[in-house]
């Protein structure tokens, strides 16, 4: 066999093994099934209109009328011109979902370990340890695909950075540019932001090291090369980035002009999200031990009760039937932490934690310090309101930090860096970098610290922890103290079983390493044993939360919302109108959007002003706001629990003429004046737009008519007939960063009315009024993407050419 083939063969085998592992874990995809992801179900409802439009016309609409009264599709899977990096991303993710993301986890971390000069067998082990981290699996289970996507490309980005610092400037530049572009393609800027915090810490540690070693010229050269790569990566994603920034300012993530809340109290924040919302999902300090013992805090919010449950015994003694017992048990959380909801513990693995502690005794230099620094910072930030001083500091002073919620998710960085520390430490252990005596001491210390702490937890759990949930007072008052004690005994049982489980894995890992040290186990067998242990450890926990039961027939995902009688009745009306679904939280459901032009929807960044209207009026049942939004049908629940549609005869329609203008000097006045306003006769206009109304005393033309003549989500055509100049209000969301107005084919001005709607002055006579969604950001962004692609290709070809010349000169 040719020597070069021998080099490639191990990596090819690893590549195939990663494919097998990905498909094996998510094996129902081989039967054509799809994983039921709750977030993706909601996304399917939200995106249906634009997907139908694309299928019918072959074009992008970039605007959907099916959610929140209307919003851009930039964060709903819009496709952009010249987005070549997206085509590369699709080619890499060739496996069926979600196996494709798991494969990306594996291959990215494997490449990173090779760049760090780790033996391929250990790199394989490390990739499995990273990919099977419980949090990374559970986010696939619930449908946080964009988050998983972004996390998967993090190791690729780090690989490019380290290659550049290793003076492999060309390949470092290429890998960093492509991987950073792919990272941005994932379109989860919160994860990318957290990655940048990690990169910032790495940069500081490397700067200090370069200063000490007098290597600053090399450091700044590498940083300069990387800066160019990142700039090109941003350019390759220009359309998405620019469009996202534009929409973010319009959404709940942007600055609000309101200074009051719906209850009249002053707002604490008027830029980004408020502190309580940002830190709603804050990891508990004690809960952080979930990284090592999965059910330290009871596991998930829907965790099953242990075998021989004391709670079940208590219910049986009370005379409860099996059905009654199950109803009670479904309301009792085994989870006893402070978070609102937990899908699964963020378990990294007992073995990974143990090896990370071992690595702290073996590794010296930059890697140790950037890992430790990052671990401390991200852990403290994940505590959110439980470590409020640091969180408030970042919210107030770190740019963009206040745009993201669920601060506990920053622990993804811990999921990334601890396997790196563990495997590099293991690489050190299996090589002759340290004296055997030092390795023995390190192994004994690590075993003593990790194993000893676990033993303390097991032996003194009743004294150290109360196993009390914030909801326990309810069960004590309703069922009595003995019943509550039974619940806490069950939580203690879960804690004990998993603590013993983690202790066993620590002991087995320590035993494998000790046998290797005394010569009883060869290197390859030791690594194989550790690989098996890691798989048993992580996969065993993961399958508690994501398994074959989560898969359904493909049709269930492709058509997630079954048409009911209310939907069928509404769809008989072929007009243009909106639907409000009052059977659930309309602003947290994509169901209505699947069939109708809905006033509600499901999105992490809702249109900001629509959310304001919801909080001030819609959530309180204000029919006047529904009227001005042209809600013709309201879906309610019948007495037997089914959905029924109610026609609203008072909806304002597609557009209407008003005779009165109520000026408002600021956003607070705009939204408050809507209270009990007759929107069919009066429009609330901000004083900033009053100059666009030349005649403030509009004489009402009783014969004036306006009708929607033609409708597409991105192109609306009205026909108006008036004897005199009139002020018309449209039941369409005001979004000036793309919607252009035309009267008889000529550009026309329009302005905001009633806090969220469009309005314009219509001249006398018969007029054709058009609204076209023509976002400049798409044209600008796609041009930048094309230019960036050309620049990257030219740099790559030039680099390869000069590298070839350099090689010839050497020969």
């Amino acid at each position: 066999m040719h020597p070069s083939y021998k080099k490639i063969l191990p990596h090819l085998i690893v590549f195939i093994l990663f494919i097998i592992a990905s498909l094996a874990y998510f094996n129902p995809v081989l039967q054509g099934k799809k994983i039921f992801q709750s977030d993706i179900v909601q996304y399917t409802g939200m995106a249906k209109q634009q997907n139908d439009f694309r299928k019918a016309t072959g074009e992008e609409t970039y605007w959907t009328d099916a959610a929140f009264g209307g919003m851009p599709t930039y964060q709903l899977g819009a496709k952009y011109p010249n987005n070549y990096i997206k085509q590369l991303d699709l080619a890499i993710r060739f496996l069926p979902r979600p196996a494709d993301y798991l494969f990306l986890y594996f291959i990215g971390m494997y490449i990173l370990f090779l760049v760090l000069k780790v033996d391929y067998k250990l790199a394989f082990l490390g990739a499995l340890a990273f990919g099977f981290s419980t949090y990374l699996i559970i986010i696939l289970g619930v449908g946080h695909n964009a988050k998983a996507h972004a996390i998967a490309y993090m190791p690729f980005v780090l690989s490019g950075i380290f290659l550049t610092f290793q003076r492999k400037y060309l390949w470092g530049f290429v890998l960093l540019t492509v991987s950073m572009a792919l990272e941005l393609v994932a379109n989860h800027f919160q994860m990318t932001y957290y990655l940048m915090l990690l990169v910032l810490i790495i940069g500081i540690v490397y700067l200090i090291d370069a200063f000490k070693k007098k290597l600053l010229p090399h450091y700044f050269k590498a940083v300069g090369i990387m800066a160019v790569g990142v700039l090109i990566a941003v350019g390759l994603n220009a359309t998405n980035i620019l469009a996202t920034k534009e929409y973010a300012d319009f959404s709940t993530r942007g600055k609000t002009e309101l200074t009051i809340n719906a209850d009249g109290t002053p707002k604490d924040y008027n830029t980004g999200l408020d502190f309580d919302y940002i830190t709603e999902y804050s990891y508990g300090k004690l809960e952080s031990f979930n990284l090592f013992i999965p059910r330290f805090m009871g596991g998930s919010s829907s965790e099953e009760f242990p075998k021989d449950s004391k709670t079940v015994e208590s219910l049986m003694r009370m005379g409860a039937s099996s059905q009654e017992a199950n109803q009670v048990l479904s309301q009792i959380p085994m989870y006893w932490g402070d978070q609102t909801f937990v899908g699964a513990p963020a378990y990294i693995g007992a073995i990974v934690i143990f090896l990370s502690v071992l690595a702290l005794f073996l590794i010296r230099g930059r890697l140790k310090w950037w890992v430790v620094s990052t671990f401390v910072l991200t852990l403290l930030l994940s505590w959110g309101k439980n470590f409020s001083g640091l969180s408030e500091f970042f919210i107030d002073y770190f740019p963009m930090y206040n745009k993201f919620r669920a601060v506990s998710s920053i622990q993804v960085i811990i999921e990334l860096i601890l396997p790196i520390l563990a495997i590099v430490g293991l690489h050190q252990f299996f090589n002759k970098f340290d004296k055997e005596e030092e390795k023995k001491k390190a192994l004994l210390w690590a075993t003593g610290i990790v194993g000893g702490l676990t033993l303390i937890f097991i032996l003194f759990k009743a004294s150290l922890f109360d196993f009390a949930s914030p909801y326990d007072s309810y069960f004590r008052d309703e069922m009595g103290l003995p019943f509550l004690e039974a619940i806490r005994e069950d939580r203690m049982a879960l804690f004990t079983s998993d603590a013993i489980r983690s202790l066993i894995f620590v002991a087995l890992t320590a035993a494998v390493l000790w046998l290797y040290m005394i010569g009883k186990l060869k290197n390859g067998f030791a690594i194989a044993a550790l690989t098996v242990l890691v798989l048993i450890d992580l996969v065993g926990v993961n399958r508690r939360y994501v398994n074959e039961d989560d898969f359904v027939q493909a049709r269930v995902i492709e058509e997630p919302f079954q048409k009911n009688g209310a939907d069928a009745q509404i769809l008989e009306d072929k007009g243009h109108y909106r639907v409000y679904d009052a059977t659930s939280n309309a602003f947290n459901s994509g169901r209505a959007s699947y069939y109708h032009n809905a006033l509600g929807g499901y999105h992490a960044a809702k249109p900001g002003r629509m959310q304001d209207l919801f909080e001030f009026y819609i959530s309180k049942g204000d029919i006047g706001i529904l009227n001005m939004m042209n809600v013709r049908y309201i879906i309610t629940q019948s007495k037997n629990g089914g959905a029924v549609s109610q026609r609203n005869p008072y909806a304002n329609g597609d557009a209407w003429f008003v005779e009165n203008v109520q000026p408002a000097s600021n956003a607070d006045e705009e939204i408050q004046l809507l209270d009990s306003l007759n929107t069919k006769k009066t429009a609330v206009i901000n004083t900033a737009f009053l100059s666009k109304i030349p005649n403030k005393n509009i004489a009402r033309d009783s014969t004036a008519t306006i009708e929607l003549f033609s409708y597409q989500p991105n192109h609306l055509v009205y026909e108006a007939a008036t004897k005199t100049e009139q002020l018309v209000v449209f039941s369409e969301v005001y979004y000036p960063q793309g919607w252009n107005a035309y009267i008889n084919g000529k550009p026309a001005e329009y302005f905001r009315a009633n806090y969220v709607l469009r309005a314009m002055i219509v001249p006398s006579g018969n007029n054709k009024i058009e609204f076209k969604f023509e976002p400049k950001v798409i044209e600008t962004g796609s041009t930048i993407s094309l230019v960036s692609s050309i620049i990257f290709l030219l740099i790559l070809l030039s680099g390869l050419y000069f590298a070839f010349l350099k090689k010839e000169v050497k020969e």
Side-chain angles (χ1 to χ4, degrees):
M1 184 181 288
H2 195 275
S4 60
Y5 293 154
K6 286 186 177 180
K7 284 185 177 181
I8 295 172
L9 185 60
H11 306 305
L12 181 60
I13 292 171
V14 166
F15 182 86
I16 294 170
L17 288 175
F18 284 153
I19 293 175
I20 293 171
S22 303
L23 292 174
Y25 189 86
F26 294 116
N27 62 84
V29 299
L30 299 174
Q31 304 165 30
K33 292 184 177 181
K34 292 189 176 183
I35 191 167
F36 186 89
Q37 300 172 304
S38 55
D39 274 25
I40 299 305
V41 165
Q42 300 297 337
Y43 163 81
T44 301
M46 291 281 289
K48 187 173 187 297
Q49 186 181 79
Q50 75 181 66
N51 291 337
D52 288 348
F53 184 90
R54 185 188 299 128
K55 187 176 180 180
T57 66
E59 299 175 355
E60 287 292 314
T61 170
Y62 296 120
W63 185 269
T64 179
D65 203 23
F68 302 112
M71 64 182 288
T73 62
Y74 305 148
Q75 295 296 304
L76 290 171
K79 296 183 178 180
Y80 304 119
N82 304 326
N83 195 6
Y84 304 116
I85 196 69
K86 180 63 179 179
Q87 301 308 311
L88 175 61
D89 170 62
L90 293 172
I92 295 172
R93 293 189 292 115
F94 59 90
L95 292 179
R97 187 172 297 174
D100 57 343
Y101 292 123
L102 184 54
F103 173 76
L104 266 188
Y105 291 159
F106 292 150
I107 202 69
M109 188 57 94
Y110 182 74
I111 289 171
L112 175 56
F113 281 126
L114 295 182
V115 168
L116 292 174
K117 304 185 186 325
V118 170
D119 176 76
Y120 80 92
K121 294 186 290 295
L122 286 175
F124 176 70
L125 166 59
L128 293 175
F130 170 69
F132 280 125
S133 292
T134 301
Y135 183 81
L136 302 192
I137 297 297
I138 194 65
I139 60 176
L140 295 176
V142 297
H144 294 173
N145 290 352
K147 180 184 287 187
H149 200 174
I151 293 168
Y153 282 126
M154 287 180 180
F156 289 95
V157 174
L158 295 182
S159 299
I161 291 171
F162 293 133
L163 264 183
T164 309
F165 275 130
Q166 291 170 10
R167 300 178 185 270
K168 296 174 181 176
Y169 298 121
L170 175 61
W171 295 117
F173 166 79
V174 171
L175 183 54
L176 177 61
T177 303
V178 173
S179 60
M180 191 66 219
L182 291 168
E183 170 71 26
L184 294 171
V185 160
N187 199 30
H188 199 297
F189 294 113
Q190 183 171 1
M191 293 299 104
T192 304
Y193 185 89
Y194 293 157
L195 173 62
M196 292 302 101
L197 287 180
L198 168 60
V199 171
L200 179 63
I201 292 173
I202 292 173
I204 292 171
V205 170
Y206 270 68
L207 175 60
I208 294 170
D209 185 70
F211 178 78
K212 288 180 179 179
K213 296 177 180 176
K214 299 180 179 180
L215 294 173
L216 288 176
H218 157 64
Y219 174 85
F220 286 113
K221 179 181 178 181
V223 169
I225 290 170
M226 288 188 280
V228 172
V230 170
L231 190 62
I232 293 174
V234 170
L236 292 170
N237 287 275
T239 313
N240 183 47
I241 292 172
L242 292 174
T244 299
K245 173 62 174 68
E246 179 188 281
Y247 174 69
D249 294 339
F250 174 78
S251 77
T252 51
R253 304 298 174 100
K255 180 179 179 180
T256 176
E257 295 178 44
L258 292 177
T259 63
I260 57 171
N261 294 305
D263 59 4
T265 58
K267 278 187 176 289
D268 294 329
Y269 291 83
N270 65 355
T271 55
L273 307 173
D274 64 54
F275 180 82
D276 291 337
Y277 188 65
I278 290 171
T279 60
E280 179 183 359
Y281 290 92
S282 296
Y283 228 69
K285 295 176 183 177
L286 193 60
E287 195 172 357
S288 300
F289 283 106
N290 278 351
L291 301 173
F292 174 61
I293 299 172
R295 289 185 293 195
F296 189 96
M297 299 292 286
S300 73
S301 296
S302 54
E303 194 73 36
E304 293 184 2
F305 283 72
K307 293 179 180 178
D308 304 321
S309 166
K310 300 297 181 185
T311 307
V312 174
E313 288 181 13
S314 181
L315 285 169
M316 293 298 105
R317 284 197 299 269
M318 293 179 185
S321 66
S322 297
Q323 185 177 359
E324 290 170 336
N326 288 332
Q327 288 177 343
V328 174
L329 293 174
S330 66
Q331 301 173 40
I332 301 173
M334 284 291 92
Y335 172 71
W336 48 284
D338 296 329
Q339 293 192 76
T340 308
F341 178 82
V342 174
Y347 182 60
I348 291 179
I351 297 172
V352 172
I353 296 292
F354 171 67
L355 293 177
S356 297
V357 174
L358 174 65
L360 292 176
F361 293 97
L362 297 174
I363 297 176
R364 300 168 186 84
R366 296 172 301 193
L367 186 142
K368 177 179 179 178
W369 295 116
W370 66 254
V371 167
V372 170
S373 302
T374 304
F375 174 81
V376 172
L377 177 64
T378 51
L379 182 65
L380 296 180
L381 285 173
S382 75
W383 290 347
K385 61 189 175 187
N386 300 316
F387 202 76
S388 59
L390 182 64
S391 293
E392 288 173 354
F393 175 79
F394 267 73
I395 289 169
D396 292 340
Y397 298 108
F398 265 65
M400 299 292 292
Y401 192 80
N402 65 350
K403 304 295 183 185
F404 308 119
R405 67 185 294 254
V407 293
S408 60
S409 63
I410 199 173
Q411 285 198 356
V412 300
I413 300 300
I414 296 176
E415 312 262 343
L416 171 65
I417 62 175
L418 285 192
I420 295 174
L421 180 65
I423 297 303
V424 172
L426 205 54
H427 175 73
Q428 195 89 356
F429 187 88
F430 282 126
N431 286 279
K432 302 187 182 299
F433 302 124
D434 295 297
K435 295 178 180 177
E436 293 302 306
E437 192 60 34
E438 291 180 3
K439 292 180 184 177
K440 284 183 181 178
K441 286 182 180 179
L443 182 57
L444 291 173
W445 272 107
T447 306
I449 291 170
V450 179
L453 182 63
T454 313
L455 270 175
I456 291 171
F457 285 160
I458 294 169
L459 297 175
F460 302 104
K461 55 183 176 291
S463 302
L464 292 171
F465 316 116
D466 60 10
F467 297 93
S469 162
Y471 307 103
D472 282 357
S473 58
Y474 169 80
F475 299 108
R476 180 192 61 214
D477 296 341
E478 293 293 320
M479 310 290 285
L481 188 59
F483 183 72
L484 180 59
E485 288 302 320
I487 295 173
R488 293 181 178 175
E489 283 189 50
D490 282 347
R491 291 174 182 153
M492 197 181 301
L494 292 178
F495 171 92
T496 305
S497 65
D498 271 9
I500 292 172
R501 181 184 188 278
S502 290
L503 182 61
I504 290 170
F505 278 112
V506 168
L508 289 174
T509 304
V512 169
L513 296 180
W514 183 260
L515 289 173
Y516 166 77
M517 286 202 65
I518 62 175
K520 298 293 185 181
L521 206 59
K522 291 185 178 180
N523 179 296
F525 288 111
I527 295 173
L530 292 176
T531 302
V532 171
L533 288 174
V534 164
L535 286 174
I536 294 172
D537 179 16
L538 292 173
V539 173
V541 172
N542 294 343
R543 290 184 68 80
R544 296 174 183 173
Y545 307 104
V546 181
N547 51 53
E548 287 87 348
D549 295 340
D550 297 296
F551 284 81
V552 294
Q553 296 299 324
R555 183 182 57 81
V556 176
I557 300 302
E558 293 162 1
E559 301 174 18
F561 302 107
Q562 297 305 305
K563 188 186 297 184
N564 56 38
D567 296 322
Q569 185 177 355
I570 293 170
L571 291 171
E572 288 178 3
D573 187 336
K574 303 302 181 184
H576 180 252
Y577 51 84
R578 291 194 177 85
V579 175
Y580 184 74
D581 186 356
T583 61
S584 61
N585 183 349
F587 272 55
N588 201 35
S589 170
R591 190 196 183 285
S593 300
Y594 189 78
Y595 290 107
H596 315 290
N597 287 339
L599 186 59
Y602 183 92
H603 205 278
K606 301 175 179 68
R609 286 181 172 251
M610 282 305 306
Q611 180 66 24
D612 295 338
L613 278 189
F614 178 76
E615 293 172 3
F616 275 74
Y617 299 111
I618 299 172
S619 63
K620 300 172 184 176
D622 192 309
I623 192 68
I625 301 300
L626 299 186
N627 290 341
M628 80 173 195
M629 296 304 303
N630 193 23
V631 173
R632 189 180 297 175
Y633 294 96
I634 301 172
I635 300 176
T636 59
Q637 206 164 45
S638 65
K639 291 181 180 179
N640 63 10
V644 295
S645 67
Q646 294 183 355
R647 186 180 175 102
N648 173 23
Y650 306 107
N652 289 17
D654 301 312
W656 61 96
F657 297 107
V658 295
E659 55 195 80
N660 302 311
V661 171
Q662 179 67 61
S665 58
N666 54 49
D668 293 347
E669 286 187 16
E670 275 187 88
I671 200 166
Q672 288 176 319
L673 285 171
L674 292 176
D675 189 14
S676 304
L677 182 76
N678 184 348
T679 56
K680 291 181 180 178
K681 292 185 176 182
T682 303
V684 175
I685 307 292
N686 192 292
T687 52
F689 300 115
L690 287 180
S691 61
K692 300 181 185 297
I693 307 175
N695 182 9
K696 305 301 185 292
N697 300 313
I698 303 166
R700 183 171 182 269
D701 178 2
S702 59
T703 65
T705 60
I706 184 167
E707 292 182 355
L708 181 63
F709 176 75
S710 167
Y711 166 78
Q712 285 187 328
N714 59 353
H715 187 194
L716 297 92
V717 182
Y718 302 83
E719 290 184 345
T722 65
K723 293 179 181 178
T724 59
E725 188 177 74
Q726 295 290 303
L727 173 59
V728 63
V729 177
F730 302 88
S731 59
E732 302 298 328
V733 169
Y734 177 77
Y735 190 83
Q737 296 91 339
W739 278 107
N740 296 322
Y742 302 87
I743 296 179
N744 301 323
K746 296 180 180 179
E749 283 191 323
Y750 70 100
F751 45 90
R752 190 176 66 236
N754 296 352
Y755 196 68
V756 295
L757 299 181
R758 306 172 203 168
M760 68 161 44
I761 296 296
V762 178
S764 60
N766 296 323
N767 295 287
K768 178 183 177 183
I769 304 167
E770 293 180 90
F771 280 100
K772 297 180 182 179
F773 193 57
E774 302 166 318
K776 289 269 186 192
V777 71
I778 304 299
E779 182 182 345
T780 302
S782 61
T783 301
I784 295 173
S785 295
L786 179 60
V787 171
S788 299
S789 300
I790 294 170
I791 291 173
F792 175 66
L793 190 60
L794 289 174
I795 293 175
L796 175 60
L797 292 175
S798 299
L800 291 173
Y801 175 72
F802 285 113
F804 177 75
L805 287 181
K806 190 175 181 181
K807 184 179 179 181
E808 279 199 334
V809 169
K810 282 185 178 181
E811 292 176 353

